[in-house]
Amino acid sequence: MKPVIGCLGAGRMGRGIAVVFAFAGHQVVVVDFKEREGSAFDALAAEVDAEIRSTLGILSRIGLMSPDLLDVIADRITVVPLREAAATLPRCDVIFEGVPEILALKQAALAEASRLAGERPIIASTTSTILVDDLAGSIEHPGRFLNAHWLNPAYLVPLIELSPGKLTAPEITARMKALLEGIGKVPVVCAARPGFIVPRIQTLAMNEAARMVEEGVASAEDIDKAVIYGFGFRFAVLGLLEFIDWGGGDILHHASRYLVEALGDSRYAAPDIIASNMRDGRIGMKTGQGFMNYDGVDQAAYREQRLAAFASALRAMGLARDPVA
C-alpha cells in the first residue's frame, strides 16, 4: 500500500506536488487550508482539478505519459475544504505544507495541521526562504518535521532539497529520502542555512547575468545563449565541484585572482577552501583527490563516460553533427 500524501494549501506548489505523487500511483489529498464559503470552495476545487488535468495533458503531449492515463491519475487527487481537515489529515502518511511564504501564516498552519493530524504523519514545509528551526516550534512532535524544498515545476524538476532541523529525527530524513527516491526524484540533504543550495548558487548567477547586461558586456540574448550552450550544457553533466576537480582547483585559484585584479571586485575571490586544498595537494583528478575522491577510479573510463553524457546532451539539443567524410 503506497503512502497517502497530503498537500496543505491548494496553490501552485500543492497542485504540482499532487501531480507528482498521483503520477507515481499515490492517493493525494489537497487540503484548502483557508476558510471559504461553499460556492467559493467549489470554484477553487474546479480550478485545481482543471489545472491538474491541464498539466497531465501537457505531460502526455510531451511524451511522458499516455493520454489514456489522464483520468486515472487525476482521479487519485481529492481536494477538500478546511472543515474536512480534521478527518482527512490523520489518514495521511506524509503532509507537505505549501501555504504562502509568510512566517506567521506558515507557523499557524503548521501548528493547526500538526494538531489535527496527530503524531503519526511526517510533516514537511516546502518553503524556499524560511529555515526549518524557525518553524519547528509550531509543530506538535517536531521530531517528524523537516523542510523539503521543491523547485518549480515540481512535476518536472528532479531535485528536492531536504533540510532537517535540530529536532528532526534522523529516521524521518531517511524515510523522506526513500519516499522521494521511490517516485523518481533526487533528494539532497543540506544544513539549515539561508538559501539552501540551489537558490544560493542561482541568485549569484542571475545577478551576475543581469549585471553584465547593465555593464554592456553582451546582449541579454547572447548571455542567455552562453548560459544554455556553455555554462548550463557543461553543468548538466558535471557538477560544479566535480568540474573544479576535472580542470584542477589551481586553475580556479589563478582565474579568480585574475578576475579580482582585472575587474577590481573581491566578489570573484576564491574561498579559503580552494587555497587549503592546493596546499594539501587536493587539486583534483590529476592528484587523485579534490572535492571528490578519485582513488581507485579508472580516470580514462570516467572521462569517456562523462564525454558520452555530453554527446547525449548534444543529440537531445539537436546540435550533434555527422563528420564530413
Side-chain angles (χ1 to χ4, degrees):
M1 185 77 174
K2 291 180 179 289
V4 175
I5 306 300
C7 295
L8 204 64
R12 178 196 297 177
M13 185 56 67
R15 300 174 195 190
I17 292 173
V19 167
V20 172
F21 280 100
F23 189 96
H26 293 259
Q27 294 295 316
V28 183
V29 181
V30 177
V31 182
D32 176 28
F33 221 63
K34 184 176 181 180
E35 288 282 3
R36 299 179 201 270
E37 295 181 356
S39 59
F41 171 76
D42 291 342
L44 175 74
E47 176 191 312
V48 172
D49 182 69
E51 182 174 330
I52 286 169
R53 290 176 184 275
S54 174
T55 298
L56 292 171
I58 292 170
L59 295 181
S60 70
R61 291 192 294 277
I62 63 178
L64 291 178
M65 59 173 275
S66 167
D68 297 341
L69 294 175
L70 193 153
D71 287 337
V72 173
I73 295 171
D75 288 346
R76 292 176 181 148
I77 301 170
T78 305
V79 185
V80 302
L82 178 58
R83 65 178 179 274
E84 295 183 24
T88 299
L89 293 176
R91 297 192 292 106
C92 297
D93 298 288
V94 180
I95 299 168
F96 291 96
E97 170 271 312
V99 303
E101 292 285 302
I102 300 169
L103 177 60
L105 191 60
K106 283 188 179 290
Q107 288 173 328
L110 287 166
E112 181 67 1
S114 66
R115 183 185 67 82
L116 295 175
E119 64 182 270
R120 188 181 65 85
I122 295 174
I123 300 178
S125 175
T126 64
T127 179
S128 60
T129 57
I130 303 172
L131 298 184
V132 58
D133 292 325
D134 293 333
L135 295 170
S138 303
I139 303 287
E140 293 189 7
H141 309 288
R144 43 81 178 262
F145 177 69
L146 74 169
N147 279 358
H149 175 221
W150 299 63
L151 281 68
N152 276 312
Y155 50 83
L156 285 181
V157 180
L159 184 76
I160 299 164
E161 297 175 315
L162 300 181
S163 183
K166 296 174 183 176
L167 301 176
T168 308
E171 62 268 22
I172 294 299
T173 305
R175 284 172 57 191
M176 181 63 84
K177 281 187 68 177
L179 173 70
L180 295 171
E181 288 168 348
I183 62 170
K185 293 298 185 181
V186 181
V188 295
V189 178
C190 59
R193 304 284 176 82
F196 300 92
I197 299 170
V198 171
R200 279 185 64 169
I201 294 170
Q202 73 182 13
T203 298
L204 288 172
M206 289 189 296
N207 280 329
E208 191 66 10
R211 189 174 288 113
M212 285 191 288
V213 173
E214 183 177 74
E215 294 175 358
V217 172
S219 68
E221 292 78 10
D222 279 349
I223 290 171
D224 272 3
K225 281 183 183 178
V227 171
I228 293 168
Y229 298 108
F231 186 92
F233 177 80
R234 291 195 302 197
F235 294 126
V237 172
L238 296 172
L240 285 166
L241 299 175
E242 183 183 13
F243 185 74
I244 294 172
D245 286 352
W246 180 281
D250 53 334
I251 293 177
L252 176 61
H253 171 76
H254 294 302
S256 299
R257 290 183 63 182
Y258 168 77
L259 286 174
V260 168
E261 294 173 7
L263 296 174
D265 198 320
S266 62
R267 74 174 182 269
Y268 296 101
D272 291 342
I273 192 172
I274 298 297
S276 65
N277 277 355
M278 289 175 62
R279 286 194 300 269
D280 296 340
R282 298 193 305 274
I283 295 175
M285 290 179 63
K286 56 192 173 187
T287 62
Q289 296 280 341
F291 283 97
M292 316 296 180
N293 183 354
Y294 301 93
D295 284 344
V297 173
D298 183 335
Q299 292 198 18
Y302 165 76
R303 286 182 182 274
E304 185 167 332
Q305 183 270 330
R306 286 293 189 258
L307 291 172
F310 280 128
S312 294
L314 272 179
R315 287 190 289 271
M317 298 172 78
L319 294 174
R321 300 291 181 91
D322 292 330
V324 176

